[in-house]
Amino acid sequence: MRKIDTGKLVVITGPMFSGKTSRLLELLEREMRAGRKTILFKPEIDKRYSNAHVVTHKGIALPAIISPIDSKARKFILEKSKGFDVIGVDEAQFWDPKSNLHNLLEELVFLKKLIYVSALNKNIKNEAFETTSKLLSSADEIYTLTSVCAKCGNDATLTQKIRNNKEVFKKVIDVGGNDKYEPRCRNCYVQYRHK
Ligand SMILES: [Zn+2]
C-alpha cells in the first residue's frame, strides 16, 4: 500500500442525477486498487436497507455501513472506521446539522485518513443544506458536478420536485428518484415563492 502522507477531505456536490454516487465509488475504487482499506457509510433514512456490500462498476465489493444521522453519528463512525485508511460517505446532506458531520470527518482527516463525501448541493426550494455547506467549507478539494436539464438539455445545477407534471415544494426531505425529481437549469427551474 502507498502510505498516506496527508489526510484530505474531498466533497463531490451537485444536483440530483449528476452522478455523485458513481463518482464517489470511482474515487473509492482507485483507493482500493492502491491497496487501501476502504469503508463506505450511508445515511439511515430508510430502514429497509441493512448493512451490505456495494459492488462498484468494476466489480470491487466494499463494505457499506448504515450510519445514524443524529448526534449518535460521531461515536458510530469513529468506532466503525477504525483500521480503515479511506472513508466514503454517501448522501451526506441527510446527516442532521446536530451531528456535526464536518467536524467529525475533519478529525479523521487530521489522523491522515482520506475522506470522500457525496452531498446534494441544494434542496427543492433552492436552499442550502446546512450539512453540505459546512462540508464544503471544510473541504480540501471539491468536485462540482452538473446534470442535464430535463426541460432543455442545458447543464443543470438545481433539483426540481415534480408531481403530476407540476412543480411542488412540499416535503423537502423525501427520498425518491426520477419519479419525484428532475434536474433543471437556471432558466427552467421554477422558484419557490416566499409568502
Ligand atoms: Zn433548462
Side-chain angles (χ1 to χ4, degrees):
M1 182 194 98
R2 222 184 82 222
K3 214 174 142 268
I4 298 172
D5 300 320
T6 172
K8 192 165 75 168
L9 175 58
V10 179
V11 178
I12 305 144
T13 192
M16 283 182 75
F17 315 108
S18 59
K20 296 186 295 299
T21 299
S22 298
R23 180 68 64 91
L24 173 68
L25 292 178
E26 262 172 50
L27 291 165
L28 295 178
E29 194 169 70
R30 280 178 61 89
E31 300 297 346
M32 285 187 283
R33 293 213 306 266
R36 291 170 177 161
K37 286 193 75 188
T38 301
I39 190 171
L40 173 64
F41 291 97
K42 290 170 152 283
E44 187 181 53
I45 42 169
D46 190 333
K47 308 274 186 202
R48 286 174 304 177
Y49 298 112
S50 59
N51 294 344
H53 280 78
V54 171
V55 179
T56 66
H57 296 308
K58 290 189 178 116
I60 299 178
L62 79 153
I65 308 286
I66 307 296
S67 165
I69 54 174
D70 56 11
S71 53
K72 292 190 209 92
R74 189 190 140 78
K75 193 165 173 252
F76 183 89
I77 291 177
L78 285 176
E79 189 67 34
K80 295 282 181 194
S81 58
K82 269 186 194 147
F84 286 90
D85 315 301
V86 179
I87 296 152
V89 180
D90 198 17
E91 306 247 41
Q93 74 280 356
F94 283 123
W95 267 266
D96 191 291
K98 282 187 217 121
S99 70
N100 279 317
L101 186 67
H102 64 295
N103 280 339
L104 153 66
L105 295 181
E106 266 199 292
E107 250 178 72
L108 291 166
V109 169
F110 282 115
L111 296 172
K112 295 197 177 183
K113 310 263 188 196
L114 298 178
I115 318 278
Y116 294 93
V117 183
S118 87
L120 188 60
N121 57 350
K122 302 272 194 79
N123 70 19
I124 53 167
K125 292 181 179 174
N126 190 26
E127 297 161 342
F129 284 100
E130 195 178 328
T131 297
T132 301
S133 298
K134 287 180 169 167
L135 283 166
L136 290 172
S137 317
S138 302
D140 296 291
E141 209 173 303
I142 298 170
Y143 292 91
T144 305
L145 306 185
T146 57
S147 186
V148 177
C149 176
K151 288 274 181 200
C152 76
N154 272 329
D155 284 351
T157 57
L158 301 172
T159 305
Q160 191 97 60
K161 189 173 185 180
I162 306 288
R163 202 168 160 191
N164 301 323
N165 288 318
K166 281 206 73 174
E167 293 82 7
V168 291
F169 299 96
K170 281 204 172 126
K171 225 179 152 205
V172 169
I173 303 283
D174 185 10
V175 178
N178 58 9
D179 54 324
K180 285 181 190 158
Y181 300 101
E182 60 184 46
R184 294 266 180 107
C185 73
R186 291 274 184 187
N187 294 341
C188 300
Y189 177 80
V190 174
Q191 293 188 67
Y192 174 69
R193 291 188 203 289
H194 294 269
K195 285 181 187 106

